[in-house]
């Protein structure tokens, strides 16, 4: 089934007010579409390093947004920059000015026009705006935002704890933290494309976790020294034989190479991530046999309303979904948890981080998602994404005026 057929399949009308059209956008009656009159940005800085195969983030700058329209508002989060603690929030957020003064209907139309036609515009910024608009739309319609996206599954799904460090003592600390939160059942580790580095990580993780937990790795296409599928498969099979269950993006590959590699590595499940980006291309690119799980990666999809089509495509050939993370710490965590639940994903990686989200969580008045006694995430459906934040408390976290911006 082609992309347009999948997207058309997700068409739905909401009380005659909002329409998810065959092109994947919302349209609203102008009389019921309030005008965006205020956009507030809050800078949330983090100084905990994160290590990847291609380099290190020594610090990163998350931005939270409260977008207000009439009597309604929506929250959103984006990873604005890395290793740039002196970011100018007003300058970074300049792209938002064109949305002020627009109705929600016109803002969504503008947003949709950018999703495919402006490839140089950061997909993360597009998702950032769409997240807030969907929150508002859900509140206006008095429906959960995921229902507006035709994501109607309700079953709780596991949270996946992520380790972004290769030092043995740090790995032990991470796993201890996961166990304290009852999140040790699904574990993700970053790998580096070097068997001498990667194998000790997998051995230590499996030794500390035991045999039962599901262990996923992400090499970020880090395995580069190969000439054939046999060359690439060998180190992956060694990792498999030492307890690795699945791997995201082992290398840069064509679709046919993905399929060939999955056959060669047997019980090791491959997880295409980059091939799914952006969503409107991923729905055409994804093919049966490339892997057993397909990752819908936040801030890379470029469109939340295309996710349903991607999910339907993947499920149509018997594969499963995962929801990744973009190092979120705030409002986007609950959004992507709800998306994961609504799509019936096998797990969600976008979790609040105990060492990075504490200050944010102290500002939260109400949140729709929660972790149950089994360590799985579920949610109590609320209009929009159901998040209530004390913005004054959020402002108080800032040490200077540059950490808050009002448009």
């Amino acid at each position: 089934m082609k992309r347009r057929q999948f997207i058309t399949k997700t068409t739905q009308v909401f009380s005659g007010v909002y329409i998810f059209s065959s092109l994947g956008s919302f349209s609203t009656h102008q009389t019921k579409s309030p005008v965006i009159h205020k956009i507030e940005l809050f800078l949330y800085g983090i100084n905990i390093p994160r290590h990847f195969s291609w380099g290190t983030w020594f610090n990163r700058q998350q931005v939270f947004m409260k977008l207000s329209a009439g009597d309604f508002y929506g929250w959103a989060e984006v990873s604005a920059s890395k290793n740039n603690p002196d970011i100018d929030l007003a300058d970074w957020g300049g792209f938002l000015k064109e949305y002020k003064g627009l109705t929600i209907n016109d803002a969504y139309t503008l947003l949709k026009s950018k999703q495919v036609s402006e490839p140089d515009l950061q997909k993360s910024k597009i998702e950032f705006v769409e997240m807030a608009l969907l929150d508002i739309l859900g509140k206006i319609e008095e429906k959960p935002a995921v229902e507006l996206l035709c994501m109607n599954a309700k079953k709780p799904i596991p949270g996946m704890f992520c380790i972004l460090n290769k030092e043995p003592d740090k790995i032990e600390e991470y796993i201890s933290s996961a166990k304290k939160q009852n999140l040790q059942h699904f574990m993700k580790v970053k790998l580096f494309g070097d068997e001498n580095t990667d194998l000790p990580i997998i051995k230590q993780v499996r030794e500390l976790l035991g045999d039962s937990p599901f262990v996923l790795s992400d090499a970020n296409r880090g395995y580069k020294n190969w000439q054939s599928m046999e060359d690439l498969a060998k180190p992956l099979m060694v990792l498999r034989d030492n307890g690795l269950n699945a791997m995201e993006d082992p290398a840069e590959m064509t679709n046919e190479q993905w399929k060939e590699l999955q056959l060669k590595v047997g019980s090791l499940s491959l997880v295409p991530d980059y091939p799914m980006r952006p969503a409107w291309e991923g729905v055409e690119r994804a093919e049966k046999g490339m892997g057993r799980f397909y990752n819908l990666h936040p801030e890379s999809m470029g469109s939340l309303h295309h996710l349903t089509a991607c999910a339907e495509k993947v499920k149509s050939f018997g594969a499963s979904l995962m929801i990744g993370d973009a190092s979120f710490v705030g409002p986007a965590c609950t959004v992507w948890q709800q998306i994961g639940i609504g799509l019936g994903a096998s797990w969600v990686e976008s979790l609040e981080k105990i060492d990075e989200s504490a200050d944010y969580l102290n500002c939260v008045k109400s949140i729709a998602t929660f972790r149950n006694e089994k360590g799985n995430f579920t949610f109590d459906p609320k209009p929009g994404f159901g998040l209530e934040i004390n913005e004054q408390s959020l402002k108080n976290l800032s040490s200077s005026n540059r950490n808050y911006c009002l448009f």
Side-chain angles (χ1 to χ4, degrees):
M1 190 177 293
K2 298 297 185 181
R3 177 179 75 97
R4 185 168 298 278
Q5 291 175 287
F6 269 99
I7 295 176
T8 302
K9 189 177 178 181
T10 62
T11 298
Q12 185 171 349
V13 178
F14 310 112
S15 305
V17 180
Y18 299 99
I19 301 172
F20 191 41
S21 76
S22 62
L23 294 177
S25 67
F26 288 94
S27 62
T28 70
H29 294 311
Q30 293 291 335
T31 56
K32 296 188 178 183
S33 184
V35 172
I36 297 171
H37 65 272
K38 184 165 64 173
I39 302 173
E40 298 171 88
L41 300 179
F42 305 81
L43 184 63
Y44 190 94
I46 299 164
N47 295 307
I48 297 175
R50 295 199 141 206
H51 303 283
F52 303 89
S53 61
W54 40 262
T56 298
W57 296 344
F58 295 99
N59 54 73
R60 67 186 193 276
Q61 295 70 47
Q62 300 296 114
V63 172
F64 304 162
M65 175 170 64
K66 183 182 181 184
L67 190 153
S68 299
D71 296 328
F72 305 95
Y73 57 86
W75 284 98
E77 176 189 1
V78 70
S79 301
S81 66
K82 289 85 178 175
N83 299 329
N84 183 23
D86 296 323
I87 184 175
D88 185 326
L89 192 58
D91 180 65
W92 175 88
F95 72 98
L96 295 165
K97 292 179 181 178
E98 62 182 322
Y99 293 95
K100 188 174 180 181
L102 298 181
T103 64
I104 295 298
N105 177 64
D106 289 342
Y108 218 108
T109 299
L110 175 62
L111 184 73
K112 177 181 172 292
S113 73
K114 295 176 178 295
Q115 286 174 321
V116 180
S117 64
E118 297 188 25
D120 294 332
L121 186 66
Q122 289 184 22
K123 302 297 185 291
S124 61
K125 290 182 176 179
I126 296 175
E127 285 186 34
F128 181 55
V129 175
E130 188 173 18
M131 191 181 297
L133 292 177
L134 281 168
D135 197 6
I136 292 174
L137 285 166
K139 290 170 181 173
I140 294 173
E141 267 293 276
E142 298 184 348
K143 292 185 177 182
V146 289
E147 289 188 12
L148 301 184
L149 293 169
C150 307
M151 302 173 183
N152 298 312
K154 304 293 185 184
K155 185 178 178 181
I157 64 173
M160 175 166 278
F161 191 94
C162 188
I163 298 175
L164 287 167
N165 204 301
K166 60 184 176 181
E167 300 301 325
D169 58 335
K170 292 296 183 182
I171 291 174
E172 188 169 358
E173 287 179 17
Y174 274 112
I175 290 180
S176 176
S177 177
K179 289 179 177 179
K180 289 177 182 177
Q181 300 173 71
N182 198 20
L183 289 172
Q184 74 275 21
H185 308 293
F186 285 77
M187 188 71 61
K188 178 175 176 177
V189 294
K190 286 292 181 179
L191 296 184
F192 299 87
D194 176 4
E195 186 177 347
N196 294 328
T197 300
D198 295 346
L199 183 57
I201 292 174
I202 298 304
K203 285 184 174 181
Q204 182 186 8
V205 168
R206 189 53 80 182
E207 180 180 348
L208 292 169
L209 287 178
D211 295 333
S212 297
F214 186 94
V215 178
L216 166 74
S217 69
D218 184 1
N220 290 114
R221 301 182 292 181
Y223 282 87
K224 301 180 184 298
N225 297 321
W226 54 277
Q227 299 297 320
S228 66
M229 285 293 102
E230 287 78 10
D231 294 337
L232 180 55
K234 285 179 182 178
L236 273 59
M237 289 188 288
V238 171
L239 296 174
R240 176 201 65 191
D241 294 342
N242 282 274
L244 184 63
N245 298 112
M247 179 181 282
E248 284 181 57
D249 288 345
E252 180 74 40
M253 295 181 287
T254 65
N255 280 19
E256 293 307 311
Q257 288 172 327
W258 272 99
K259 296 175 188 178
E260 184 179 352
L261 183 63
Q262 180 61 88
L263 290 173
K264 288 186 178 297
V265 298
S267 61
L268 180 69
S269 295
L270 298 184
V271 185
D273 178 354
Y274 277 86
M276 301 302 292
R277 310 178 185 187
W280 54 85
E281 293 180 7
V283 73
E284 295 181 332
R285 190 180 297 120
E287 295 181 12
K288 181 178 181 179
M290 294 172 66
R292 297 193 179 95
F293 302 90
Y294 290 68
N295 188 12
L296 302 182
H297 194 290
E299 294 196 351
S300 300
M301 294 290 96
S303 166
L304 298 180
H305 61 252
H306 280 84
L307 293 181
T308 305
C310 282
E312 290 291 324
K313 176 70 175 294
V314 169
K315 291 177 181 179
S316 74
F317 47 69
S320 299
L321 297 166
M322 70 164 279
I323 301 297
D325 190 18
S327 300
F328 293 134
V329 296
C333 294
T334 186
V335 170
W336 282 93
Q337 288 161 22
Q338 291 176 51
I339 288 172
I341 294 166
L343 290 177
S346 295
W347 62 80
V348 57
E349 188 188 337
S350 295
L351 310 182
E352 293 86 356
K353 284 73 174 168
I354 194 169
D355 53 348
E356 299 177 351
S357 301
D359 289 338
Y360 155 72
L361 290 172
N362 286 335
C363 301
V364 172
K365 297 192 293 185
S366 177
I367 193 167
T369 47
F370 59 93
R371 190 169 69 245
N372 65 22
E373 68 281 356
K374 295 182 179 180
N376 295 335
F377 282 79
T378 186
F379 77 115
D380 180 17
K382 304 287 186 183
F385 289 113
L387 181 64
E388 300 287 341
I389 300 176
N390 185 327
E391 57 263 36
Q392 185 57 54
S393 296
L394 203 56
K395 287 182 186 179
N396 292 342
L397 294 178
S398 302
S399 58
S400 65
N401 289 334
R402 74 175 182 85
N403 291 344
Y404 171 76
C405 180
L406 172 65
F407 293 119

